[in-house]
Amino acid sequence: TLTAPAPFADETSCQCQAPHEKLTIAQARLGTPVDRPVRVYADGIFDLFHSGHARALMQAKTLFPNSYLLVGVCSDDLTHKFKGFTVMNETERYEALRHCRYVDEVIRDAPWTLTPEFLEKHKIDFVAHDDIPYSSAGSDDVYKHIKEAGMFVPTQRTEGISTSDIITRIVRDYDVYARRNLQRGYTAKELNVSFINEKKYRFQNQVDKMKEKVKNVEEKSKEFVYKVEEKSHDLIQKWEEKSREFIGNFLELFGPDGAWKQMFQERSGRMLQAFSPRQSPNSSPTRGRSPSRSPSPPWVFSKASPPSSPKAASASLSSMSEGDEDEK
């Protein structure tokens, strides 16, 4: 498990003590003793260290079963002289290489063109680089003499990513990055932005903020409308169910054959019976009574003619009983 960055070559005491016998590629691929790893060297600028750099170093590390990868990084002076200005300074580039898992040792201020003295000093067996001729420093290919000596091992470039591609993206979207960094607190002087452009970028930032707020309001309003529509749909559905239930109950109660009609008919019949009861049978006519006078009850005695004697009273009682029998 890696717990520390790769050491610098000028600070480490871990020098290869084994005799530096020249190896062929075939011998190296067969494997070497543990105390004699194949020392592979890869160099470069490694500005804006990216996955393409890491993949190249991974290939260099895994070229042979037992290898020790040394990585040379050119200084700012050499790089600015032969290639151009870099985004990262040399110290940042050194540190980026030290923290790559495939690197065993970093060589600072590496030479632009490899000399026999440099190869002997670091006991380098092979040099790993992509096979495309690298023209620089007045040479069509700075690795030509390494190839002729049989010490060159090619690696494959990773298509679609390079330091130049990344810088091109930054230049293409410069306005976006400048606006973003102004918003994060960088000054126009630090970004090398003119006064007019600074005001333009800040105004654009304000416009973008306003657009974002409007967008958020629109999204919230859409969400609110959706919730209202969903609730209204539920309410309408419930109202329809309740209305159907109410109409059904109403028809069951007040419909043509409903319970209310039957109850009304029953009550109206009872009321008719109460207001017009059945007539009793006609009584037989009373004997010897005047039709103009209402008959008096037999038990009512006339004040004008009280019975003169007990015999007369008994006779009247007997006549009353006879009248009753006739009525019956």
Side-chain angles (χ1 to χ4, degrees):
T1 303
L2 298 176
T3 58
F8 291 120
D10 54 355
E11 294 180 354
T12 182
S13 59
C14 300
Q15 299 293 334
C16 181
Q17 303 297 330
H20 187 244
E21 298 177 357
K22 188 173 180 62
L23 294 173
T24 64
I25 294 177
Q27 290 173 337
R29 286 177 176 167
L30 289 174
T32 56
V34 176
D35 61 345
R36 176 61 174 93
V38 181
R39 294 174 70 84
V40 180
Y41 176 80
D43 60 356
I45 309 303
F46 301 106
D47 191 20
L48 297 175
F49 189 80
H50 52 75
S51 61
H53 295 141
R55 289 178 63 86
L57 297 176
M58 178 187 70
Q59 295 177 57
K61 176 67 176 178
T62 57
L63 284 171
F64 307 108
N66 183 20
S67 61
Y68 186 86
L69 181 60
L70 301 93
V71 179
V73 184
C74 299
S75 65
D76 286 344
D77 291 338
L78 279 177
T79 304
H80 298 166
K81 179 180 178 181
F82 292 110
K83 189 170 184 178
F85 190 74
T86 58
V87 177
M88 301 169 65
N89 59 44
E90 59 184 25
T91 303
E92 294 169 336
R93 293 185 285 116
Y94 297 154
E95 287 298 323
L97 265 299
R98 292 186 69 195
H99 292 85
C100 178
R101 63 185 301 178
Y102 310 113
V103 178
D104 295 306
E105 190 174 309
V106 175
I107 301 175
R108 293 183 285 193
D109 193 13
W112 197 260
T113 302
L114 301 179
T115 62
E117 292 78 18
F118 180 82
L119 297 174
E120 180 61 29
K121 176 183 177 180
H122 295 282
K123 299 181 180 180
I124 295 170
D125 293 311
F126 300 99
V127 176
H129 199 274
D130 62 81
D131 202 15
I132 301 173
Y134 191 83
S135 58
S136 179
S139 174
D140 294 335
D141 189 1
V142 295
Y143 297 104
K144 182 177 180 181
H145 65 288
I146 303 295
K147 294 175 181 177
E148 292 174 350
M151 297 176 62
F152 186 85
V153 184
T155 58
Q156 299 296 323
R157 293 178 64 90
T158 302
E159 298 297 332
I161 187 168
S162 67
T163 301
S164 299
D165 291 339
I166 295 173
I167 294 174
T168 301
R169 295 181 206 171
I170 296 172
V171 173
R172 181 190 62 197
D173 301 326
Y174 172 75
D175 290 351
V176 177
Y177 297 123
R179 287 168 52 192
R180 182 186 67 180
N181 288 340
L182 281 172
Q183 194 172 5
R184 290 181 174 179
Y186 288 90
T187 62
K189 184 178 180 180
E190 290 173 330
L191 296 173
N192 195 24
V193 173
S194 65
F195 177 80
I196 295 175
N197 285 336
E198 179 190 4
K199 298 304 178 185
K200 180 182 74 173
Y201 294 150
R202 293 192 183 280
F203 177 73
Q204 289 174 343
N205 287 336
Q206 294 296 328
V207 172
D208 289 345
K209 286 182 180 179
M210 186 62 64
K211 288 181 179 178
E212 190 67 24
K213 288 182 180 179
V214 172
K215 184 178 178 181
N216 292 335
V217 171
E218 288 180 353
E219 290 178 354
K220 290 180 180 179
S221 61
K222 287 180 181 178
E223 185 178 357
F224 175 75
V225 170
Y226 176 76
K227 289 182 179 179
V228 170
E229 289 178 352
E230 193 175 24
K231 289 184 178 180
S232 62
H233 179 72
D234 294 339
L235 289 173
I236 291 171
Q237 188 174 2
K238 290 180 180 179
W239 182 83
E240 288 178 351
E241 293 175 357
K242 293 293 182 182
S243 61
R244 291 194 195 98
E245 183 180 355
F246 175 78
I247 292 170
N249 294 335
F250 182 83
L251 293 175
E252 185 178 353
L253 185 60
F254 297 102
D257 299 326
W260 178 261
K261 183 178 180 181
Q262 297 177 2
M263 183 174 63
F264 180 77
Q265 290 176 352
E266 291 177 1
R267 290 190 176 182
S268 61
R270 291 176 184 174
M271 291 176 67
L272 289 173
Q273 289 179 3
F275 286 114
S276 58
R278 293 180 181 178
Q279 295 180 357
S280 58
N282 294 330
S283 58
S284 59
T286 308
R287 296 177 193 175
R289 290 182 182 174
S290 174
S292 61
R293 251 175 116 176
S294 60
S296 297
W299 58 83
V300 180
F301 299 100
S302 177
K303 291 183 180 180
S305 57
S308 58
S309 63
K311 291 181 180 181
S314 60
S316 64
L317 288 173
S318 62
S319 63
M320 289 173 60
S321 61
E322 290 176 358
D324 292 339
E325 289 176 0
D326 293 339
E327 291 180 358
K328 291 179 182 178

